[in-house]
Amino acid sequence: MSASPLTPLDYIAEGYWQDFLAERPIAGGIAYETELRACTLDESLESLQRIDTLLSQVRRDMIKSGMWDEMTLLVDERYRNFMMFLAFYAGRVLAQQWQNKPHWYGQFELRKRYPELTLITDDFYQHMAVGYDDSVVKERLFFALEPIGLRLFGHIDRQFDAVQGGQVDSGLYQAVSLRLPTTLNNDVNPMPELTTHKSSNHQITESIVPSADSNTHVGTSQLNAPLNKPEKVSIGAEHHQANTVVTNSESLAAPSAMPDTVTELQANVVPPESENPIKPELTKVSQPTVKPASPVKNTSTPEMFTQLLVELDEITVPQPTGDVQYQQARKVLDQFEQHIAKQNKPRHQVIFSDDHNTAKNKALLLLQAAAEDGNTAAMLRLAMYELLGEGLTAGSDNQKKSGVEWANQAASKNDSRAQRLLSKMYYQGVGVSQDIDSGKYWLEQAADNGHAEAANLVQQWQQAQVLLTTQKQEQHSTKRYQLLIGAIIAVALLIIIII
């Protein structure tokens, strides 16, 4: 197949990159150029993690400075250039993983080549997409501006819908990782906890195999050893999508190898009475090369919980007790979340082996011990798992009640993250009866305790209330003025009649 002709966006994307490398100014200027250079843009997947962290910081800075206004920033050329540069860069990283050159399409080319796509006219986030392999199918398109916009401006009242259906990925690292080719290699590097086997009838099955010794790496002679009774889970045909957990740089650190490499999770969790830290060990088993498959979609984890996990990393709340236990449990639970995020199914359909369910329950017990010591981060993690039906009370009638109690207990300690979570729960009726007044109360409490997003929403609500009040006052004044004029006219008529 002959290569597609270059488009205007191809030249613009290359120009942005070459100007950046040569430290030449991009036409019109670019916001946060110094911060971008500090991210070390080496075209690696890890650089996308650094960009996501920068975008989160930019969002917080804009909220604090009172300039967090999407429409205003989209007409500012320096901010538009900033977002477009990041999109071009993410497309470049993705295409490099496919060993191809990125090929960019504007709205004109997209409508001509892919008429089945439902594009919104003049939508900034939909006006360009990159093709990142030699295929011409629309599944090989990436609308890179969407996760950037979500990272900067997304919140409960500003939803982003993906052009290709479902929800928008929560960051560039996640978005690109989910579109990597499934080519396997022979490198043995630490990877997340997925082991994939292919049976003789070509049904894809998954298992997570624990190691007998968490301190022993799998050697070359062990790679060909048979796995012990792996549990089989059929991969369904349906694709589900939602926001994926964003963790800190330590737990998200991933090698440059392809993510579909067959791996084993070796997670051994110490019981609460032990002081040894949890050290899950990841190893990887190589398999023959297979043909690239369609991009993997996200799980259907509710947005309020993916956002909670982001806030647990990004918003610091001092914890007087229980932090060691919380960090130990979190290292294990983060690996489970990363595995769930990669599956092509809702999270409740992801099945783990008995050994790994035991490991997860031990991590939950550590969380409970930390929560009982007063650690609000542990309380919030427990609340999330209980509300998802995956906690220590899973299967009982008290799981939602337990989740709400943990959230309330954390909120009572003035943890703004818990108060923001409670506001969402009441607004949406999750775990509690929908109550707008209670949602508003907890939103205001979160704002008072320094939650930037909550403060911005409260400010917007107050401005709306002022406008409504002013409008009502003007309407009332107009009616009074009309009545006064009517009364004057009536008196004048009476005077004329009497005279």
Side-chain angles (χ1 to χ4, degrees):
M1 182 183 298
S2 60
S4 301
L6 293 178
T7 69
L9 277 178
D10 287 329
Y11 292 104
I12 294 173
E14 185 63 22
Y16 270 43
W17 181 239
Q18 293 303 325
D19 285 344
F20 184 81
L21 290 180
E23 299 189 5
R24 293 191 298 264
I26 292 174
I30 179 172
Y32 298 101
E33 182 175 353
T34 302
E35 290 80 359
L36 275 174
R37 295 192 182 280
C39 287
T40 312
L41 303 186
D42 53 6
E43 300 184 66
S44 66
L45 290 175
E46 290 80 1
S47 67
L48 297 180
Q49 296 175 356
R50 297 191 287 270
I51 288 175
D52 284 339
T53 301
L54 171 61
L55 288 172
S56 296
Q57 184 61 50
V58 169
R59 174 190 176 110
R60 290 194 295 269
D61 291 345
M62 289 192 299
I63 292 173
K64 290 178 181 178
S65 63
M67 59 180 293
W68 191 49
D69 184 84
E70 184 178 4
M71 292 300 103
T72 300
L73 291 174
L74 286 182
V75 298
D76 186 321
E77 187 173 9
R78 296 181 68 252
Y79 280 90
R80 286 203 317 274
N81 284 341
F82 171 62
M83 296 173 72
M84 290 179 65
F85 175 83
L86 292 181
F88 289 145
Y89 177 75
R92 188 179 190 88
V93 173
L94 178 56
Q96 179 174 278
Q97 294 294 322
W98 285 81
Q99 298 182 352
N100 278 290
K101 290 185 177 181
H103 195 53
W104 288 92
Y105 303 101
Q107 278 204 356
F108 174 80
E109 291 87 4
L110 287 170
R111 293 183 187 279
K112 183 178 179 180
R113 183 179 288 260
Y114 307 103
E116 68 274 18
L117 286 176
T118 304
L119 299 174
I120 301 175
T121 305
D122 297 328
D123 188 300
F124 175 77
Y125 306 102
Q126 298 181 7
H127 78 207
M128 64 186 200
V130 64
Y132 48 86
D133 77 339
D134 294 328
S135 172
V136 296
V137 296
K138 67 177 181 179
E139 283 75 15
R140 291 294 191 267
L141 286 178
F142 175 33
F143 288 80
L145 285 168
E146 291 178 339
I148 297 171
L150 176 65
R151 195 82 173 186
L152 286 174
F153 305 111
H155 57 82
I156 191 171
D157 300 316
R158 171 59 171 105
Q159 300 292 323
F160 278 74
D161 295 321
V163 175
Q164 294 169 300
Q167 292 178 307
V168 174
D169 302 310
S170 65
L172 287 175
Y173 175 81
Q174 174 208 346
V176 170
S177 295
L178 292 176
R179 290 167 174 81
L180 293 180
T182 57
T183 303
L184 306 180
N185 57 42
N186 295 321
D187 297 327
V188 181
N189 294 318
M191 290 290 287
E193 64 274 19
L194 175 63
T195 298
T196 305
H197 307 280
K198 199 165 187 178
S199 62
S200 58
N201 63 358
H202 302 294
Q203 180 186 32
I204 303 293
T205 60
E206 300 169 6
S207 68
I208 299 180
V209 187
S211 169
D213 181 2
S214 65
N215 294 321
T216 304
H217 289 278
V218 177
T220 305
S221 62
Q222 295 174 288
L223 299 184
N224 296 322
L227 299 174
N228 296 325
K229 298 181 181 180
E231 290 192 7
K232 296 184 177 181
V233 183
S234 298
I235 301 293
E238 296 183 357
H239 285 193
H240 301 270
Q241 190 174 36
N243 290 333
T244 302
V245 177
V246 180
T247 62
N248 64 14
S249 58
E250 177 185 359
S251 60
L252 268 181
S256 59
M258 303 305 178
D260 304 72
T261 303
V262 180
T263 61
E264 293 179 288
L265 170 64
Q266 302 176 344
N268 295 311
V269 185
V270 296
E273 61 271 13
S274 172
E275 295 183 358
N276 295 324
I278 300 173
K279 295 182 179 179
E281 182 177 322
L282 306 177
T283 60
K284 182 171 65 176
V285 182
S286 301
Q287 292 288 338
T289 301
V290 297
K291 184 178 180 181
S294 298
V296 180
K297 303 296 182 182
N298 293 336
T299 66
S300 55
T301 302
E303 184 275 339
M304 70 167 62
F305 297 128
T306 60
Q307 184 62 30
L308 171 64
L309 291 172
V310 172
E311 291 183 357
L312 285 173
D313 282 335
E314 295 185 349
I315 300 176
T316 302
V317 176
Q319 302 294 335
T321 55
D323 192 57
V324 173
Q325 292 168 311
Y326 170 73
Q327 294 298 337
Q328 290 175 359
R330 176 193 145 176
K331 287 180 180 179
V332 173
L333 295 172
D334 278 351
Q335 295 196 53
F336 280 90
E337 290 300 325
Q338 290 169 19
H339 175 70
I340 292 170
K342 292 183 177 180
Q343 304 311 299
N344 183 29
K345 61 186 74 173
R347 64 182 293 135
H348 67 270
Q349 293 181 10
V350 180
I351 299 176
F352 296 97
S353 69
D354 290 341
D355 288 336
H356 284 84
N357 283 328
T358 299
K360 181 177 180 180
N361 285 335
K362 287 182 178 179
L364 291 174
L365 287 171
L366 279 176
L367 276 187
Q368 181 172 276
E372 289 173 349
D373 282 344
N375 188 292
T376 57
M379 294 176 191
L380 286 170
R381 276 269 197 171
L382 281 177
M384 180 188 82
Y385 285 114
E386 296 290 3
L387 291 168
L388 287 171
E390 302 171 10
L392 294 171
T393 64
S396 72
D397 295 334
N398 296 324
Q399 55 187 3
K400 289 186 178 179
K401 181 180 178 182
S402 175
V404 174
E405 287 176 352
W406 281 121
N408 271 302
Q409 190 170 336
S412 69
K413 293 180 176 294
N414 289 329
D415 190 316
S416 65
R417 303 166 300 186
Q419 293 165 339
R420 180 66 178 117
L421 175 64
L422 272 178
S423 74
K424 293 180 182 180
M425 290 167 58
Y426 277 107
Y427 276 127
Q428 299 179 32
V430 175
V432 294
S433 299
Q434 190 174 40
D435 186 337
I436 301 302
D437 289 337
S438 294
K440 178 175 174 290
Y441 169 78
W442 285 114
L443 184 67
E444 291 174 338
Q445 292 297 306
D448 290 343
N449 282 298
H451 194 288
E453 183 194 32
N456 183 267
L457 291 173
V458 168
Q459 183 182 19
Q460 292 178 3
W461 179 82
Q462 290 173 342
Q463 290 173 347
Q465 289 297 109
V466 170
L467 290 174
L468 289 173
T469 302
T470 302
Q471 184 181 24
K472 290 179 180 179
Q473 289 174 344
E474 290 176 348
Q475 291 175 345
H476 183 66
S477 298
T478 301
K479 289 180 180 179
R480 291 181 62 186
Y481 179 75
Q482 291 172 344
L483 289 172
L484 179 60
I485 295 296
I488 292 173
I489 293 173
V491 171
L493 289 174
L494 285 174
I495 292 174
I496 292 173
I497 293 172
I498 293 173
I499 293 175

